[in-house]
């Protein structure tokens, strides 16, 4: 006798998953392999998602952490997170063909950093220590030109040499709410501080966080599909918990804990900007094996942004 499945309402966020910068970065690797043949080397994970990285490996991509691991005579791609200026300079010195898959919205932050330093400003950079995007942005300007601000406490305690010649910039994948509080603290302390033109937190990060905020009050639990080293995915899981529902970050459907879902009748689902839609469908299909699932997509924004490919690959 078949066991009757308990009902489970899935509230699926839209937008979710891949953003334009991730789409572009993956396409750059694919086109480089088409144009040059395998192997094509990629410095750092192209995006923070094991499923995506493993898929590109099967097509001929080799992922390394340093340029020293790239042999002479093969093309190399720089990840979507951006790299310090020294990396392309070293590639050029070695005569390597390279393609920069840095998200254009991260490149915009790089340009703003250079401009602020040229104006004689010291930059207070809001971000997470050790994240590749932070390392890449710090590497755009002379050493000592930037100070990392990770928390509101950092913002309260930082003591720059010249409080009247400051700028602030942010990592693109931060919590919108937390970052706003840190910026408010800096602006209160340093009234002359100059901010970026528009927000540095990217549209995709903001949109995915807004979707979670809209759905969380309507559900009892929240699953975020993404990687633990993906900043934007981690922020989504934290945000759902902050909104009052229990939340978990999972990489794949096989990480779902059915005991954790005991008693849950409404479940929110979203995916970080580096998680493909196929993983969302995998999760839904997995849940349907154990529950009587109904799906509702909740749309809070529509995304139409796309980015151009680098010259040399746009015709590949």
């Amino acid at each position: 006798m078949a066991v009757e499945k308990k009902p489970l309402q899935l509230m699926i966020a839209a937008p979710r998953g891949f953003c334009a910068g991730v789409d572009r970065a993956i396409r750059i690797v694919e086109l480089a392999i088409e144009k040059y043949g395998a192997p094509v080397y990629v410095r750092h994970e192209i995006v923070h998602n094991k499923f995506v990285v493993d898929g590109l490996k099967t097509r001929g991509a080799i992922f390394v952490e340093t340029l020293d691991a790239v042999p002479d005579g093969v093309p190399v791609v720089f990840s979507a997170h951006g790299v310090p200026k020294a990396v392309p300079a070293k590639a050029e010195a070695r005569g390597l063909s390279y393609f920069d898959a840095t998200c254009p919205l991260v490149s915009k932050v790089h340009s703003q950093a250079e401009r602020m330093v040229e104006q004689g400003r010291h930059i207070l950079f809001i971000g997470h220590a050790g994240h590749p995007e932070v390392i890449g942005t710090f590497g755009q300007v002379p050493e000592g030109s930037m100070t990392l601000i990770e928390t509101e406490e950092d913002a309260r305690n930082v003591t720059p040499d010249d409080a009247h010649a400051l700028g602030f910039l942010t990592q693109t994948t931060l919590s919108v709410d937390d970052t706003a509080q840190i910026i408010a603290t800096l602006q209160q302390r340093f009234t002359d501080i100059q901010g970026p033109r528009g927000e540095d937190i990217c549209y995709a990060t903001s949109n995915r966080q807004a979707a979670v905020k809209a759905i969380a009050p309507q559900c009892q639990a929240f699953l975020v599909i993404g990687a633990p080293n993906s900043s934007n995915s981690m922020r989504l899981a934290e945000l759902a918990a902050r909104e009052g529902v229990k939340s978990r970050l999972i990489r794949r459907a096989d990480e779902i804990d059915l005991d954790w879902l005991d008693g849950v009748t409404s479940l929110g689902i979203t995916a970080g900007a580096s998680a493909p839609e196929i993983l969302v469908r995998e999760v839904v299909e997995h849940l349907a094996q154990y529950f009587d699932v109904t799906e509702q997509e909740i749309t809070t924004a529509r995304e139409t942004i796309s980015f151009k490919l680098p010259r040399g690959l746009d015709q590949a």
Side-chain angles (χ1 to χ4, degrees):
M1 183 177 171
V3 177
E4 187 179 350
K5 295 178 180 178
K6 293 180 180 178
L8 182 63
Q9 170 78 25
L10 303 182
M11 299 181 185
I12 303 176
R16 62 181 176 274
F18 278 1
C19 62
V22 165
D23 261 332
R24 175 180 178 271
I26 294 167
R27 191 72 185 126
I28 287 170
V29 178
E30 292 172 341
L31 288 172
I33 293 169
E34 283 180 30
K35 182 172 181 176
Y36 294 96
V40 165
Y41 280 71
V42 185
R43 186 188 177 278
H44 192 67
E45 290 184 343
I46 188 69
V47 296
H48 285 155
N49 188 276
K50 186 177 185 299
F51 180 87
V52 171
V53 168
D54 286 349
L56 291 171
K57 282 179 181 177
T58 65
R59 300 178 68 167
I62 296 176
F63 292 85
V64 297
E65 284 304 311
T66 68
L67 213 55
D68 291 335
V70 179
D72 289 337
V74 296
V76 61
V77 179
F78 303 144
S79 82
H81 312 97
V83 294
K85 273 185 175 178
V87 174
K90 186 173 183 179
E92 287 172 9
R94 286 184 53 193
L96 294 176
S97 297
Y98 68 86
F99 295 98
D100 190 353
T102 302
C103 173
L105 299 179
V106 174
S107 296
K108 184 188 80 170
V109 178
H110 291 178
S111 298
Q112 291 174 142
E114 289 181 288
R115 197 157 48 241
M116 284 184 177
V117 170
E118 285 169 4
Q119 293 168 351
R121 295 181 183 273
H122 183 84
I123 300 167
L124 303 180
F125 189 81
I126 304 165
H128 297 297
H131 190 278
E133 185 182 328
V134 174
I135 294 168
T137 305
F138 267 67
Q140 304 305 309
V141 295
E143 193 172 344
S145 303
M146 300 175 74
T147 298
L148 184 64
I149 304 292
E150 292 194 85
T151 63
E152 213 177 333
E153 185 180 3
D154 289 346
R156 285 194 296 269
N157 295 332
V158 66
T159 53
D161 291 337
D162 185 352
H164 300 289
L166 293 175
F168 74 84
L169 296 169
T170 84
Q171 188 178 327
T172 63
T173 54
L174 301 178
S175 160
V176 172
D177 294 339
D178 288 350
T179 305
Q181 290 177 346
I182 292 171
I183 290 170
T185 299
L186 292 176
Q187 289 175 327
Q188 188 175 17
R189 288 191 63 205
F190 309 113
T191 53
D192 294 333
I193 195 168
Q194 178 182 302
R197 296 175 183 170
E199 278 195 336
D200 282 341
I201 294 178
C202 81
Y203 77 94
T205 297
S206 300
N207 286 349
R208 280 149 191 70
Q209 289 180 22
V212 168
K213 275 189 175 182
I215 294 171
Q218 305 175 55
C219 60
Q220 296 164 298
F222 221 109
L223 286 178
V224 177
I225 303 162
N229 61 338
S230 163
S231 175
N232 77 85
S233 299
M234 290 292 290
R235 304 294 81 77
L236 294 173
E238 291 169 0
L239 178 59
R242 195 177 291 179
E243 291 294 309
V245 295
K246 62 180 186 176
S247 75
R248 281 202 175 165
L249 178 75
I250 59 169
R251 282 170 283 213
R252 300 287 299 269
D254 60 8
E255 293 185 4
I256 294 172
D257 179 358
L258 295 176
D259 290 338
W260 184 75
L261 290 172
D262 189 39
V264 172
T265 58
S266 55
L267 176 67
I269 294 178
T270 191
S274 47
E277 182 63 16
I278 192 172
L279 298 187
V280 178
R281 300 320 307 169
E282 179 188 89
V283 164
V284 173
E285 288 162 16
H286 182 81
L287 291 169
Q289 295 177 41
Y290 304 97
F291 298 94
D292 179 15
V293 163
T294 55
E295 294 182 53
Q296 178 187 5
E297 185 172 76
I298 298 176
T299 303
T300 53
R302 298 198 182 277
E303 295 177 348
T304 57
I305 291 175
S306 63
F307 296 128
K308 290 180 180 178
L309 291 165
R311 195 172 300 165
L313 284 183
D314 48 4
Q315 301 299 322

